[in-house]
Amino acid sequence: VHFCAEHLGGKVEMIEKDLWRIRQEKPREVVGDKCPFVHRFVDYDEYDWETESFKVIETECIPAELWASMTESCGAPPNSIWGKMSPKKVRHLAELVVGCPFEFKGRVASTASGGDPFINAGGILLNEMDMSTMKSKVVENLFCCGRGCECEWFFVHEGLCDGEGGW
């Protein structure tokens, strides 16, 4: 998963450079406390007539618990400070921000790999999600991944009709 695709061009080198800048500017702050990258977007449903502008919402690109886990996996123990981050750890953290691997376990959809074909319908209601971040508005720190949103048709999974993914 690339968490900050819109931040600094989304390149590992640029993320690393920004993390190194944070290390220099805030050497005594705890690395795992919160993600330093912020996602800003305009909420066009919220207009402030006094300032004559739309509300700008800022959220961390990576939720706090996941950020803490990512910093630990790159070798920064809990409560370690930015000033103690080695160049190697900063690089590894930048690589995780740009390409964090996740393992998902679930039902095998491909009949070629021994699974049974199946059809899904429904899913998470679109009005219960922030579509820009795929975050649930109902359950805190819950994000949707893959084909999980409601639909007006059935999801047809690979191998339903001819075993090769075709109709």
Side-chain angles (χ1 to χ4, degrees):
V1 175
H2 192 319
F3 289 103
C4 300
E6 74 284 346
H7 191 78
L8 299 170
K11 304 216 184 280
V12 174
E13 294 77 18
M14 298 303 289
I15 299 290
E16 179 183 19
K17 186 176 179 180
D18 204 36
L19 288 172
W20 194 257
R21 179 191 56 78
I22 292 164
R23 181 191 181 277
Q24 301 298 341
E25 292 176 2
K26 303 175 181 181
R28 290 194 161 96
E29 285 192 16
V30 176
V31 178
D33 276 355
K34 69 175 195 168
C35 175
F37 304 116
V38 178
H39 175 69
R40 291 176 184 87
F41 64 95
V42 177
D43 184 353
Y44 291 105
D45 293 330
E46 295 287 328
Y47 187 77
D48 185 347
W49 292 98
E50 291 179 17
T51 62
E52 296 182 352
S53 62
F54 290 100
K55 181 178 181 181
V56 176
I57 298 174
E58 293 185 357
T59 58
E60 295 173 9
C61 288
I62 304 170
E65 295 85 4
L66 180 56
W67 178 256
S69 177
M70 288 171 67
T71 58
E72 285 182 42
S73 70
C74 78
N79 299 319
S80 63
I81 58 174
W82 279 105
K84 299 285 184 180
M85 288 286 284
S86 68
K88 185 176 179 179
K89 289 177 184 176
V90 170
R91 174 65 182 204
H92 189 226
L93 186 55
E95 290 170 350
L96 285 177
V97 168
V98 172
C100 188
F102 288 98
E103 182 178 335
F104 291 92
K105 295 184 180 183
R107 188 171 179 167
V108 176
S110 174
T111 53
S113 54
D116 295 325
F118 61 96
I119 298 174
N120 286 354
I124 300 169
L125 298 175
L126 295 178
N127 65 351
E128 293 181 355
M129 291 184 58
D130 176 353
M131 295 306 290
S132 65
T133 61
M134 299 300 283
K135 184 175 182 178
S136 172
K137 294 178 183 176
V138 178
V139 179
E140 188 176 336
N141 294 321
L142 176 66
F143 292 81
C144 176
C145 180
R147 301 180 191 181
C149 300
E150 70 177 337
C151 63
E152 295 179 11
W153 60 87
F154 288 96
F155 288 126
V156 180
H157 289 271
E158 178 184 358
L160 180 63
C161 296
D162 65 2
E164 299 297 324
W167 295 96

